[in-house]
Amino acid sequence: MDRASRRFTWLYAKSQLKLKYRYTALGFLWNLLEPGLFLGVLSFVFSVVNRMRISDYAVFLFSALVPWRYFEKVVTTSMDSIVQGDWLMKKLPVSPFALPLTRWIVASAEFGFSFLVVFLLFAVLKTQWTIHCLILPLSAIPWSLLGLGLGLVFAALFTFFRDIRPVVQIGLMLAFFTAPILFKPDLFTEHTIQRSMIVWHPVTYLAALFQKPLYDGAWPSVLDWSVSFGVAAVSLLAGVLLVKRSRAQFYFYL
Amino acid sequence: MNRLLMRVLRPRPMLGPHVFRLDNVSVGFRRNAIEERSLKHALAALVRDRRQPLHQALDDVSLSIRRGEHVGVIGRNGAGKSTLLRVLARVITPQSGRVFVDSTVHVVPLLELGIGFQADLSGVENVHLAGALMGYSYEDIAGKMADIVEFAELDGFIHEPVKNYSSGMYARLAFALATDVEPEVLLVDEVFGVGDEFFMEKCVARMHRLMAAGTTTVFVSHNLDFLIGQCDRLVWLDEGRIVADGPAPAVAKAYRAARGTS
């Protein structure tokens, strides 16, 4: 990406964040309240399903749900970024990476705000804090890179095939409900299809990067790190290559 | 691997005094492309190729533009003028042919006034944002801000959101930004039709100053008199092909004769 596109990406992302909160006194607060309410309702409902104390379940749920919502937002908002950026892509030689990257920066900043909410809630709900929480910034990296990679892949595909949006949304929904985010991985007994599904689900390992330090008070395993960074690297590579290969075609499909 | 080696080893052409060189460039747009932007269509095309034929916006165009030259591009609507400008600006990658642009010069495409402007941002914020798109640093723009505001006559309004500007104020700010920083190459696509007569005069005077200072300019316009006055060379396009390329008065005369307006 050239220097002009890099500078634009940064300024554009900053301006998007600024505009989002400029005219609303409750803007920043709403950004905290919205995930707070969402998490509150979910924890109330699913603590019953999981037969856990609500405070205990809330800590488990929030730890993986917040990064999932960040990942989902990066993917869905990046998907139409090139198409919605036709006002720019058809007028200036800006890098096609600039627009998905802008969405990624905005979502990352909002993820930071969301984690503020989580820590405020955890201050009330969590009884014991351990040193393992210090690893969380590193845990966010594979989630972020996976989101960016898939965001780039879908941004390129959506430019050519405008009807892939529902396919992507269903795919994300399936991934969410089959991963151990709402339920604990040990809910299913050994040698069942559900258990195998969890073992082979890449989100299981990404979720563990947050669940283990925050809920279990433990370090994520080598397998958790390897699978998470491996999946993120592959998706990022695929996204970068796909956008690079198809960039010359974008103009004709915008 | 072979393709990579070919790219590395392929000799780069010497552009010499030229800023742009186009060799046999063709750009085609598929008709009814909207229908083709779906997975359903792509899958159907695997069985039977139902793609519409290409409309050639540029057809085997070869052209060179020297440093400091002032070139006007003329032709009827749909002749390929704007497509040519977008190829020079590297917004469009042609399907065939080769485009060489001197990478050492700073090219500013002015294909529309106010590209990159965000309605809710202030004039100052928009100048920085659009300036970044044109390849200028924050410091470049900050250093020129007073001149930009003065030329655009927006003192007192520059911190207002541009959505509150009149179309004239908007155009003045965008033009001031694009030209105040003195680009080495300016590609202009019919942007003088906005604003009042006084603003037009200011824009033309600013353009004269830039051109006299050595800025290479390529204008696309339907205003033939304006082009004859500003350009030393005209390129006449019709249906994507170059009909004539030469001194402005001679090409303009031939163009007018062909249209029966001489």
Side-chain angles (χ1 to χ4, degrees), chain B residues 133-147:
Chain B
L133 276 172
M134 291 176 181
Y136 299 116
S137 68
Y138 193 89
E139 292 73 27
D140 286 340
I141 297 295
K144 293 279 184 185
M145 190 61 82
D147 290 342

Side-chain angles (χ1 to χ4, degrees), chain A residues 160-219:
Chain A
F160 302 122
F161 313 117
R162 303 293 165 83
D163 48 356
I164 63 157
R165 191 196 294 273
V167 178
V168 174
Q169 283 169 339
I170 289 170
L172 285 170
M173 203 169 71
L174 267 175
F176 175 69
F177 284 109
T178 51
I181 294 173
L182 294 175
F183 53 86
K184 293 178 80 176
D186 54 11
L187 185 70
F188 304 109
T189 49
E190 295 283 346
H191 311 300
T192 59
I193 296 172
Q194 291 93 330
R195 183 74 175 188
S196 307
M197 184 181 70
I198 288 170
V199 170
W200 288 100
H201 203 313
V203 177
T204 301
Y205 304 94
L206 283 145
L209 300 185
F210 278 83
Q211 287 166 338
K212 285 183 181 171
L214 276 168
Y215 181 72
D216 299 328
W219 299 111

Side-chain angles (χ1 to χ4, degrees), chain A residues 3-5 7-8 11-12 15-16 18-19 22-23 87-94 158-164 167 245 247-249 251-254, chain B residues 3 27-29 33 36-40 42 86 89-93 95 109 111-112 115-116 118 120-122 125 128-129 132-133 135-138 161:
Chain A
R3 218 169 55 166
S5 296
R7 200 175 297 129
F8 167 75
L11 281 177
Y12 190 49
S15 70
Q16 294 298 300
K18 205 188 286 182
L19 284 177
R22 176 175 280 178
Y23 299 115
W87 54 272
L88 185 59
M89 300 285 292
K90 295 189 89 167
K91 301 284 165 52
L92 285 171
V94 68
F158 186 69
T159 310
F160 302 122
F161 313 117
R162 303 293 165 83
D163 48 356
I164 63 157
V167 178
R245 272 190 80 90
R247 65 188 299 168
Q249 291 300 313
Y251 184 93
F252 302 99
Y253 286 83
L254 293 175
Chain B
R3 278 174 63 186
V27 175
F29 291 90
E36 295 183 9
R37 292 169 200 160
S38 71
L39 201 55
K40 191 178 95 181
R86 281 164 171 74
R90 288 174 299 168
V91 172
I92 293 179
T93 308
Q95 280 105 346
L111 306 185
E112 190 181 291
I115 305 168
Q118 303 294 303
D120 288 307
L121 291 178
S122 72
E125 289 165 326
H128 279 294
L129 188 61
L133 276 172
Y136 299 116
S137 68
Y138 193 89

Side-chain angles (χ1 to χ4, degrees), chain B residues 14-240:
Chain B
M14 296 293 288
L15 279 170
H18 296 107
V19 179
F20 299 106
R21 202 180 99 194
L22 272 57
D23 293 346
N24 309 103
V25 163
S26 293
V27 175
F29 291 90
R30 211 169 285 287
R31 290 178 183 136
N32 300 325
I34 292 172
E35 288 171 17
E36 295 183 9
R37 292 169 200 160
S38 71
L39 201 55
K40 191 178 95 181
H41 187 278
L43 293 173
L46 289 175
V47 183
R48 199 172 121 209
D49 191 1
R50 292 189 303 181
R51 284 181 299 176
Q52 299 290 322
L54 284 179
H55 161 71
Q56 287 301 134
L58 287 182
D59 192 0
D60 201 27
V61 168
S62 294
L63 180 78
S64 295
I65 295 174
R66 278 182 285 112
R67 205 179 293 261
E69 208 170 10
H70 309 305
V71 181
V73 184
I74 56 171
R76 300 184 62 175
N77 287 332
K81 305 184 295 295
S82 296
T83 304
L84 175 64
L85 218 56
R86 281 164 171 74
V87 169
L88 295 177
R90 288 174 299 168
V91 172
I92 293 179
T93 308
Q95 280 105 346
S96 67
R98 295 172 78 182
V99 179
F100 303 104
V101 181
D102 185 346
S103 55
T104 62
V105 296
H106 185 203
V107 180
V108 171
L110 198 52
L111 306 185
E112 190 181 291
L113 285 176
I115 305 168
F117 278 18
Q118 303 294 303
D120 288 307
L121 291 178
S122 72
V124 171
E125 289 165 326
N126 270 307
V127 167
H128 279 294
L129 188 61
L133 276 172
M134 291 176 181
Y136 299 116
S137 68
Y138 193 89
E139 292 73 27
D140 286 340
I141 297 295
K144 293 279 184 185
M145 190 61 82
D147 290 342
I148 291 169
V149 175
E150 192 191 337
F151 181 87
E153 299 166 30
L154 286 173
D155 199 18
F157 295 95
I158 199 66
H159 295 290
E160 289 288 313
V162 297
K163 68 181 176 187
N164 296 339
Y165 287 11
S166 69
S167 57
M169 290 160 85
Y170 191 90
R172 289 204 300 270
L173 184 62
F175 186 83
L177 166 67
T179 55
D180 207 294
V181 275
E182 298 179 3
E184 291 167 284
V185 179
L186 196 57
L187 308 172
V188 189
D189 191 356
E190 289 283 17
V191 293
F192 291 114
V194 290
D196 55 26
E197 203 176 326
F198 178 67
F199 173 60
M200 268 283 291
E201 283 172 16
K202 271 181 84 168
C203 289
V204 172
R206 168 67 66 91
M207 287 305 303
H208 276 152
R209 188 173 61 74
L210 286 176
M211 289 157 82
T215 298
T216 308
T217 44
V218 182
F219 290 102
V220 161
S221 178
H222 286 289
N223 189 338
L224 202 53
D225 291 325
F226 171 79
L227 292 181
I228 294 167
Q230 311 303 320
C231 305
D232 13 78
R233 176 180 160 201
L234 288 186
V235 176
W236 171 12
L237 284 176
D238 190 44
E239 294 185 352

Side-chain angles (χ1 to χ4, degrees), chain A residues 32 113-126 129:
Chain A
L32 303 180
F113 300 149
S114 302
F115 238 92
L116 274 180
V117 179
V118 168
F119 277 108
L120 286 175
L121 285 168
F122 279 12
V124 180
L125 301 170
K126 206 168 150 54
W129 290 86

